Amino acid sequence: MKKFQVVGIGNAVVDVIARTEDDFLADMGIEKGIMQLIERDRAEQLYGAMGNRVQTPGGSVANTIAGLGNLKARTAFIGRVADDDLGIFYASAMSNEGIAFVNDPVAGGELPSSRSMIFVSPDGERSMNTYLGISAELGPEDVSEDVAGEAEYLFLEGYLFDKDKGKEAFLKAARACKAAGGKPGIAISDPFCVERHRDDFLTLIENEMDFVIGNEDEIRSLYQNDDLEADLRAVGAICPLVVCTRSGDGVTILHEGTRIDVGVEKIVPVDATGAGDQFAAGFLYGLATGADMEKAARMGSAAAREVISHMGPRPEANLQDLFRAEGLL
C-alpha cells in the first residue's frame, strides 16, 4: 500500500468569495462566468471593492484534494506559497484538513501568495479574477519524486501549463508516479487554458496520462470543433480513461473502449464554485477505494451536488455520511 491514495499538484490560491449583482460585474468590467488572470494592481482594486468576504484556501486541484481529505483519504498537495500572511494561512488550513502540504512557505520571495477574487451572481454563477503570484512559479525543484512515487493516483492541474517550468514539474511528477506503479492524470481546467496549450495537452494526455477529467466545453476545446461525440472518441483513443462532466446531462466515461453514461440529479446552485473540483474528489475517491466506474461517477456527482448547495469551493458536510445515505458506501 502506498503512502498516499491521491497526490495533487497545482496552484495554491486563497479564494476570496463575495456575493454580487450583475450590475456590479458590468461596472467593474468583470466578464461573467469565466476565470480571468489579473495583475497585482487589479487584484488590490477588486479586493477593496468586495463586500462581505469569505476567505478559504483554494485552487482547482487543491480543492479536489481538500474534498478527498474530507473523505479521510490519504492525500498530499504539491504547491507553492510565500511566507506571508496568506501563505501561512493556506499551509495551515490544508494541514488542518489532514492533507500533507509538502512544500514549506517560501521565505524572502519577490512575489506574494496567490489569491482569486470570486464574485457569485444571484444565479449561482461565479466570475473568477485570479492573481497567480508565487504559485505560478512552481517548477520541477518543487516536486519531490519520493512524494509522487508514493501516489496511487496523481492529479495535475492544467492551469499550471502557462509556464514552461510548470510543464517540467508535471512531467517530473507524472513520470515518478508512473515509474513506481501509480496512475497520473490531469484536470483540463479551462477551455481558454486548452486554447493556449492545445498541442502540449494532447501530447501529455497521449504519452504520459492514465486518465483525464474535464467538462464538455473543455473536451471540445481539445479539437477545436463543436462535435462532442467525435471529440470524446478522439481523446478516448489516446487515453485509457476519459471522464466528461455534462452539467445537468450527467457524466460520460470512456474506459478502455467502453462507454458509461451516468445521470445526475438537477438542482439550482447556490454557488457553482468548486463543482468540477469536488466531482473529481468524489470520482478519484471511488477509484482509490476500488469502486466501479458508475459508482465512482455517482460519488463525484454527490460531492459536486453538496458543494453547489452553499457558498465556497469545499464541502461543508461529511461526504462519507452523504455517500452512505445515498447507498454509495
Side-chain angles (χ1 to χ4, degrees), residues 205-275:
I205 290 168
E206 181 171 10
N207 297 312
E208 309 285 351
M209 297 293 100
D210 287 303
F211 65 94
V212 58
I213 300 176
N215 64 34
E216 52 191 327
D217 290 334
E218 293 158 359
I219 296 292
R220 282 194 190 99
S221 67
L222 286 170
Y223 297 99
Q224 296 178 278
N225 62 46
D226 197 34
D227 188 344
L228 178 63
E229 293 301 320
D231 296 341
L232 284 169
R233 290 192 296 271
V235 71
I238 62 173
C239 187
L241 173 58
V242 179
V243 184
C244 177
T245 58
R246 307 174 72 169
S247 191
D249 293 328
V251 181
T252 296
I253 298 170
L254 297 179
H255 180 225
E256 296 178 347
T258 299
R259 176 173 177 146
I260 304 160
D261 289 294
V262 183
V264 297
E265 177 187 345
K266 296 182 181 181
I267 67 170
V268 177
V270 173
D271 172 16
T273 309

Side-chain angles (χ1 to χ4, degrees), residues 5-37:
Q5 289 169 298
V6 184
V7 171
I9 175 170
N11 280 305
V13 183
V14 177
D15 286 337
V16 187
I17 307 168
R19 293 186 181 276
T20 191
E21 299 295 327
D22 289 343
D23 288 346
F24 174 86
L25 300 180
D27 291 343
M28 296 298 294
I30 297 169
E31 189 169 349
K32 184 176 177 178
I34 68 167
M35 193 282 287
Q36 293 179 303
L37 296 178

Side-chain angles (χ1 to χ4, degrees), residues 125-203:
E125 188 61 83
R126 80 275 195 233
S127 306
M128 304 171 65
N129 296 264
T130 303
Y131 169 62
L132 290 177
I134 198 172
S135 71
E137 298 302 311
L138 187 141
E141 68 277 6
D142 297 304
V143 173
S144 166
E145 291 184 334
D146 291 338
V147 172
E150 281 293 333
E152 293 176 16
Y153 292 89
L154 179 73
F155 196 39
L156 308 170
E157 181 177 315
Y159 285 129
L160 278 177
F161 260 52
D162 278 318
K163 293 195 174 181
D164 287 343
K165 64 174 66 176
K167 298 174 188 176
E168 293 169 12
F170 273 18
L171 287 174
K172 180 180 179 181
R175 289 170 180 173
C177 173
K178 203 157 192 172
K183 294 185 176 182
I186 190 168
I188 300 178
S189 295
D190 185 279
F192 300 101
C193 190
V194 174
E195 288 174 11
R196 294 192 294 270
H197 309 290
R198 183 171 288 106
D199 290 343
D200 285 339
F201 264 112
L202 288 171
T203 298

